[in-house]
Amino acid sequence: MRTLKGPAIFLAQFAGDAGPFNSLGAIARWAKDCGFVGVQIPSWDGRLFDLTKAAESDAYCAEVKGTLTEAGVALTELSTHLQGQLVAVHPAYDEAFDGFAAPEVRGNPTKRQAWAVEQLMLAAKASRRLGLTAHVTFSGAFLWPFVYPWPQRPAGLVETGFDELARRWKPILDAFDAAGCDLCYEIHPGEDLHDGITFEMFLERTGNHRRCNILYDPSHFLLQQLDYLGFIDAYHERIKMFHVKDAEFNPSPKQGVYGGFQPWLKRAGRFRSLGDGQVDFAGIFSKLAEYDFAGWAVLEWECALKDAEVGAREGAAFIRDHIIAVTARAFDDFAASGTDLAANRRLLGIKEG
């Protein structure tokens, strides 16, 4: 067994126009000061990272790694959440998601989708140059408007949506395979891949592609009332990344899992800072250790109540305290009797010959 790595932090929720959050070096030093030893970089944020340069230039990649090394942290993975979302967009969300794209392709769904695919291709090349073995993204969604079947879904609608989703992602998965990097979908409401069954439907249509994998984030499962510990048992072979994020679900007589169109503060299900919610992280870290998860434990901070920097500092300590340094021997080795095959046969009453 291997001890998983961490604590690390996803920088997307912290990047900003004011220091120390407006440059890679400064935010990396801040992360180190908070107690983190790794950072996960949002590839779309030009204040921190240039995806095109990273895809094309070993020198730029060396500069990025040097900046992080000087700050005392490692690069865990890159993220293309926003670009991945645009690989598949239902027309109902065209305007809402347009802001995720480069200005020159906004208002043109065809060009926007081609731009998103190219971004993922660049991310595969950048991951290879940076020596990374995993990458996180969103799947996008054709079917989310139809998630609750009223009116009844037309026959074949779901199958058609998943067929097209897999068709669009297959060349991207092949590019990540060529780069030696796992492509990990964050299983997330709003995406067509939002639970285990939908992941299986997609995986089957990719031909069980070896690079089609999962970023595990239990907060999204708790809010769906899904067995997030059992999910690890079912999919541990495909779980290659881990976001450590807490959540709570407090049903009331007035709202349930759908949230009643309320802001996060007033939702029955809401994200919380680590340790303030209901997720059983002791169970999660135990299962990941049992299944020999070799990746990083990465804080994704989202909370409707607590200050972000307080949540980050507390989160680093929380993750560090939950990482299990796995044992190299059995606890009862001291009682080993040193028997051999012949002795074992005698103990079992098995006669020779």
Side-chain angles (χ1 to χ4, degrees), residues 14-34:
F14 296 91
D17 292 329
F21 307 108
N22 57 353
S23 72
L24 184 60
I27 200 171
R29 290 189 292 274
W30 167 82
K32 177 66 174 179
D33 183 65
C34 288

Side-chain angles (χ1 to χ4, degrees), residues 183-245:
L183 184 55
C184 302
Y185 296 94
E186 181 166 357
I187 308 300
H188 188 292
E191 311 303 313
D192 281 346
L193 309 191
H194 58 271
D195 59 12
I197 292 295
T198 52
F199 175 76
E200 288 181 17
M201 293 167 68
F202 178 73
L203 179 64
E204 180 182 6
R205 286 166 169 80
T206 69
N208 294 311
H209 202 292
R210 67 174 182 167
R211 298 299 180 182
C212 181
N213 289 293
I214 293 171
L215 178 142
Y216 175 79
D217 182 337
S219 68
H220 302 302
F221 298 152
L222 185 142
L223 296 190
Q224 293 183 70
Q225 297 295 281
L226 184 152
D227 178 3
Y228 54 86
L229 292 176
F231 186 96
I232 300 175
D233 293 326
Y235 300 109
H236 59 90
E237 293 179 351
R238 293 280 176 174
I239 294 173
K240 306 295 184 180
M241 293 179 64
F242 175 27
H243 269 179
V244 192
K245 190 168 75 174

Side-chain angles (χ1 to χ4, degrees), residues 43 49-58 60-61 65 75 78 119-132 135 176 179 181:
S43 68
F49 188 74
D50 188 318
L51 180 59
T52 301
K53 280 187 180 179
E56 297 173 351
S57 170
D58 287 333
Y60 176 74
C61 289
K65 291 191 288 186
L75 175 58
L78 300 177
Q119 287 281 297
L120 268 294
M121 297 298 191
L122 291 173
K125 293 176 182 177
S127 294
R128 179 181 58 80
R129 289 189 187 276
L130 289 162
L132 302 175
H135 179 87
F176 274 88
C181 187

Side-chain angles (χ1 to χ4, degrees), residues 61-96:
C61 289
E63 178 185 333
V64 168
K65 291 191 288 186
T67 297
L68 297 180
T69 298
E70 185 176 349
V73 296
L75 175 58
T76 66
E77 303 96 1
L78 300 177
S79 153
T80 52
H81 283 87
L82 302 193
Q83 302 99 310
Q85 184 75 61
L86 302 181
V87 171
V89 177
H90 187 279
Y93 295 101
D94 265 340
E95 188 170 347

Side-chain angles (χ1 to χ4, degrees), residues 323-336:
I323 290 175
I324 297 171
V326 297
T327 182
R329 60 184 180 86
F331 64 86
D332 55 357
D333 279 353
F334 74 94

